[in-house]
Amino acid sequence: MATISDVASMAGVSTATVSRALNGKSTVDPELAARVFAAAEELGYSPNGPARNLRRQEAAVLALIISDVENPFFTAIARGVEDVAQAVGYSVVLCNSDESGDKERRYIDVAIQERVAGVILSPTSTTTNTKRLTDRGMPVVAVDRPLPDDEHDMVLVDTRMAAKEAAAHLFAQGYEQVGCITGPAGVRTADDRLAGYRDAVRSAKKRSSARLVRRTEYKAAGAKAATVGLMSQDDPPDALLVANSSMVIGVLEALDELGKQVGRDVGVVAFDDVSWAKLVDPPLSVVAQPAYEIGTVAAQLLLARIADSDRAATTTTLSARLIERGSSSRA
Amino acid sequence: MATISDVASMAGVSTATVSRALNGKSTVDPELAARVFAAAEELGYSPNGPARNLRRQEAAVLALIISDVENPFFTAIARGVEDVAQAVGYSVVLCNSDESGDKERRYIDVAIQERVAGVILSPTSTTTNTKRLTDRGMPVVAVDRPLPDDEHDMVLVDTRMAAKEAAAHLFAQGYEQVGCITGPAGVRTADDRLAGYRDAVRSAKKRSSARLVRRTEYKAAGAKAATVGLMSQDDPPDALLVANSSMVIGVLEALDELGKQVGRDVGVVAFDDVSWAKLVDPPLSVVAQPAYEIGTVAAQLLLARIADSDRAATTTTLSARLIERGSSSRA
DNA sequence: GTGAAAGCGCTAACAC
DNA sequence: GTGTTAGCGCTTTCAC
């Protein structure tokens, strides 16, 4: 592959001049510049990124480590990040930790080794170790889930409040025994959504009961089993708050197999306004999170910190919006 | 950030020895090795990837350029690629071309600049230019959609056959006027699915009619408008073959708004077995493509070609499977 | 305005 | 088995 010195000798100038011409730095004689461009074109020259980054000691690349590529919530964040990054000439590399602390650690190492300019991640758990990043002065922004220490920028959603509202809505619709299916303990969004649910139970003057709560992986299969378990006990719940959109697939399947009609028999509200929410029967009531905006804000924060490492860490909390559809109505 | 010479001086050895010890190359005196590891640990040393890659003239990184991150079909491919790559120590960077030839070109350039070991891509159109890649000796594997020249490995699905089967199934179920909503002209999967549909029309001895076909972006909005257009003409279709899962969302919304009952009034079969297919009413009949397998095969092919650039290019064609559910039945 | 030369951090000959 | 040294391709002083 052609190198800068190939271009230089073809154009009859020094490598320094080629570099200057191609980067539009300082002024280069127009005539020489033209020769340089012609030679570069002719040779199909494309600068060697690693070499440049090695020399410059910086790369215009951001790493985005998300916990589940197959979850539309996270891919929407990715789009937000990408749009902001592209606009200022940064590339984004997307890594899928797949809710595994191991893979997450591996990708954090890759980010360090590749010397990316900064990292945006949705921590798989509260034990996620970003120390390796911060020790090396790498800017980190956490999205969706907070990091334990407060030296990072974070972009979160007031998910506890949203969960409370959603559960309160179910009570207001006349459901008596609202249950909750949430993610694993230690995953902050799962804990918060459960806490919000409990807030609502308390406000509604209901007795909170562990019988009505199940925790599983943020996946359809676990949620399906949990729903079957929940519904097959005496005095089962007549409504369910479901903590994510993968889970609600399992929940709806289970309800269907148990012959329960959603809405009339069992009210359902789930997190995340997925594209197919209006297609199920009855249409699914959801808590819509501003995923794309989380991405854009996170990217802006990260870029700001890359530019100025002394900025104080900020936490941005966006709010979610309850969208009432048929699944949370008895009518 | 600590460099290899920091480690070397701390351990009282040369940088060469550090490199050897850390990479487990040739043999190093156990005692020295121990000192090296201790020093590296102490300093929080992490090798500089760009520097290493520059020297080695190769990086264990694959680029995967997909045309839509929000489409589960492509994210499933991504998981397949990643699983294979991880297993042999390669990282995967995921890039979203968003069906835009421009973004695709930009990412191809990034891949070249970063000197990744190889590229897997789903070309946005038949005009995708991979010449820049191949000119530089970069291995390329096309997935989902073929590339015009036959010097590349490709992993495709026999989507024409699958479309024919799906349309034939609709005729067999007693639908008389089967229509087709497919993607933009020039996108090979869109063209092939249309061709397969026409094959079925011919086999069923129906007169093929442009009235029954619509082409739009591979998105819900376009498909929704197309459906409204299709259904509001005289003698509208009584069944629809839909070329992708984003589109079918628009189709089902439109049908619902027009008061048509899916299955009884209008049969529907769509490409891609999405997670929510069984939740809509009636459950959605689909053409299930082996997306994950496409990813694994593509990654294996790419790795093989990286190891041996002289291999002849191969084309792997996987087959899709029709899954009959309620949406394609009048009962 | 341009070129010579140093050096980013690493690995791989090559000596010993 | 270990150290010395050259050099990957680039940018950036520093002279001129």
Side-chain angles (χ1 to χ4, degrees):
Chain A
M1 214 173 306
T3 72
I4 199 171
S5 28
D6 297 332
V7 178
S9 53
M10 182 161 198
V13 298
S14 73
T15 60
T17 300
V18 175
S19 173
R20 283 190 281 250
L22 262 25
N23 290 303
K25 299 283 186 191
S26 102
T27 55
V28 178
D29 183 277
E31 212 254 311
L32 288 192
R35 293 215 316 259
V36 168
F37 284 113
E41 173 72 11
E42 166 94 24
L43 292 167
Y45 171 73
S46 161
N48 183 313
R52 162 183 282 168
N53 298 338
L54 174 57
R55 178 59 228 230
R56 288 219 191 129
Q57 298 287 68
E58 61 174 24
V61 177
L62 309 181
L64 172 58
I65 306 175
I66 59 180
S67 31
D68 183 5
V69 246
E70 306 212 30
N71 184 334
F73 172 69
F74 291 112
T75 53
I77 291 179
R79 296 182 58 102
V81 170
E82 221 173 65
D83 287 352
V84 170
Q86 290 278 359
V88 297
Y90 274 69
S91 307
V92 176
V93 312
L94 188 56
C95 311
N96 177 30
S97 68
D98 210 12
E99 296 286 6
S100 140
D102 249 29
K103 284 197 189 176
E104 180 179 55
R105 210 168 308 120
R106 211 149 57 216
Y107 278 122
I108 287 177
D109 281 346
V110 171
I112 292 172
Q113 295 200 180
E114 296 305 321
R115 304 296 197 260
V116 299
V119 176
I120 297 176
L121 88 169
S122 60
T124 54
S125 88
T126 46
T127 66
T128 292
N129 191 354
T130 54
K131 198 162 167 312
R132 313 205 50 228
L133 257 2
T134 48
D135 278 356
R136 292 172 174 73
M138 277 218 188
V140 176
V141 176
V143 290
D144 183 47
R145 310 168 185 178
L147 251 10
D149 40 294
D150 54 336
E151 32 179 328
H152 304 90
D153 286 299
M154 304 188 211
V155 185
L156 309 174
V157 172
D158 190 349
T159 199
R160 177 169 182 167
M161 175 63 83
K164 180 180 177 185
E165 248 180 71
H169 163 67
L170 285 167
F171 284 122
Q173 291 290 311
Y175 297 101
E176 299 280 340
Q177 299 243 58
V178 178
C180 179
I181 296 184
T182 190
V187 176
R188 183 60 173 273
T189 48
D191 293 343
D192 282 353
R193 287 164 200 180
L194 177 57
Y197 157 80
R198 289 193 170 129
D199 292 343
V201 171
R202 221 169 300 120
S203 296
K205 307 273 197 300
K206 304 282 178 182
R207 278 240 312 293
S208 109
S209 155
R211 271 194 330 105
L212 299 176
V213 173
R214 288 291 182 284
R215 311 192 72 137
T216 83
E217 266 195 317
Y218 264 141
K219 296 281 167 65
K224 185 170 184 177
T227 304
V228 172
L230 227 33
M231 300 306 297
S232 58
Q233 37 185 4
D234 298 343
D235 202 11
D238 61 358
L240 253 18
L241 175 62
V242 183
N244 115 335
S245 65
S246 301
M247 285 178 154
V248 79
I249 290 175
V251 170
L252 296 180
E253 281 179 8
L255 258 19
D256 183 52
E257 288 173 17
L258 294 169
K260 301 288 184 186
Q261 195 182 313
V262 172
R264 198 195 56 191
D265 299 335
V266 183
V268 175
V269 177
F271 269 74
D272 295 335
D273 190 24
V274 287
S275 55
W276 47 269
K278 283 182 289 198
L279 298 180
V280 297
D281 183 35
L284 191 62
S285 297
V286 299
V287 175
Q289 299 191 83
Y292 181 84
E293 191 186 354
I294 292 175
T296 57
V297 172
Q300 282 154 356
L301 247 27
L302 187 61
L303 291 168
R305 179 162 298 275
I306 289 168
D308 170 14
S309 58
D310 291 334
R311 291 178 74 257
T314 64
T315 297
T316 306
T317 305
L318 303 173
S319 44
R321 195 172 97 255
L322 178 66
I323 300 179
E324 305 176 13
R325 299 199 183 101
S327 72
S328 57
S329 161
R330 284 222 138 106
Chain B
M1 215 174 305
T3 71
I4 199 171
S5 30
D6 297 332
V7 177
S9 55
M10 183 162 196
V13 299
S14 74
T15 59
T17 300
V18 174
S19 174
R20 283 190 280 253
L22 262 25
N23 290 304
K25 299 282 185 190
S26 98
T27 56
V28 178
D29 184 279
E31 212 254 311
L32 288 193
R35 293 218 310 263
V36 168
F37 284 113
E41 172 71 13
E42 165 95 21
L43 292 167
Y45 171 73
S46 159
N48 183 312
R52 160 183 285 169
N53 298 339
L54 174 58
R55 175 61 228 225
R56 288 216 190 134
Q57 298 288 66
E58 60 173 25
V61 177
L62 309 181
L64 172 59
I65 306 177
I66 58 180
S67 33
D68 184 3
V69 245
E70 306 211 28
N71 184 333
F73 171 70
F74 290 112
T75 53
I77 291 179
R79 295 180 60 102
V81 171
E82 220 172 66
D83 287 352
V84 170
Q86 289 279 357
V88 296
Y90 275 69
S91 307
V92 177
V93 311
L94 187 56
C95 311
N96 176 31
S97 68
D98 210 12
E99 296 286 8
S100 140
D102 248 31
K103 284 196 188 175
E104 180 178 57
R105 210 166 308 122
R106 212 148 58 215
Y107 278 121
I108 287 177
D109 280 346
V110 171
I112 293 172
Q113 295 200 182
E114 295 306 321
R115 302 295 196 262
V116 299
V119 176
I120 298 175
L121 87 167
S122 60
T124 54
S125 88
T126 45
T127 65
T128 292
N129 190 354
T130 54
K131 198 161 167 314
R132 314 205 50 227
L133 258 2
T134 47
D135 278 355
R136 293 173 174 71
M138 278 217 187
V140 176
V141 176
V143 291
D144 184 45
R145 310 167 185 179
L147 251 11
D149 40 296
D150 55 336
E151 32 180 331
H152 304 89
D153 286 299
M154 305 190 211
V155 185
L156 309 175
V157 172
D158 190 349
T159 199
R160 177 171 181 164
M161 175 63 84
K164 179 181 177 183
E165 248 181 73
H169 162 67
L170 285 167
F171 285 120
Q173 292 290 310
Y175 297 100
E176 299 282 341
Q177 300 243 57
V178 178
C180 178
I181 296 185
T182 190
V187 175
R188 183 60 173 273
T189 48
D191 293 342
D192 281 354
R193 288 165 199 178
L194 177 57
Y197 156 79
R198 289 195 170 128
D199 292 343
V201 170
R202 219 169 300 121
S203 296
K205 307 274 198 297
K206 303 283 177 183
R207 278 241 311 294
S208 110
S209 156
R211 273 195 328 107
L212 299 177
V213 173
R214 288 291 183 283
R215 310 192 72 137
T216 82
E217 267 193 314
Y218 264 143
K219 295 282 167 65
K224 186 170 182 176
T227 305
V228 172
L230 228 31
M231 300 307 297
S232 57
Q233 36 185 4
D234 298 342
D235 202 12
D238 61 357
L240 253 18
L241 174 62
V242 184
N244 116 334
S245 66
S246 302
M247 286 177 152
V248 78
I249 290 174
V251 171
L252 296 179
E253 281 178 7
L255 258 18
D256 184 52
E257 289 173 16
L258 292 170
K260 302 287 184 186
Q261 197 183 310
V262 172
R264 199 196 54 193
D265 299 334
V266 183
V268 174
V269 177
F271 269 75
D272 295 335
D273 189 23
V274 287
S275 55
W276 47 269
K278 283 183 288 202
L279 297 179
V280 295
D281 183 36
L284 190 63
S285 297
V286 298
V287 175
Q289 299 191 85
Y292 181 85
E293 193 186 353
I294 292 174
T296 57
V297 172
Q300 282 155 356
L301 247 25
L302 187 63
L303 291 168
R305 180 163 297 276
I306 289 169
D308 171 13
S309 57
D310 291 332
R311 290 177 75 258
T314 65
T315 296
T316 306
T317 303
L318 304 173
S319 46
R321 194 172 98 254
L322 178 66
I323 300 179
E324 304 176 14
R325 299 200 181 102
S327 72
S328 57
S329 161
R330 283 223 139 106

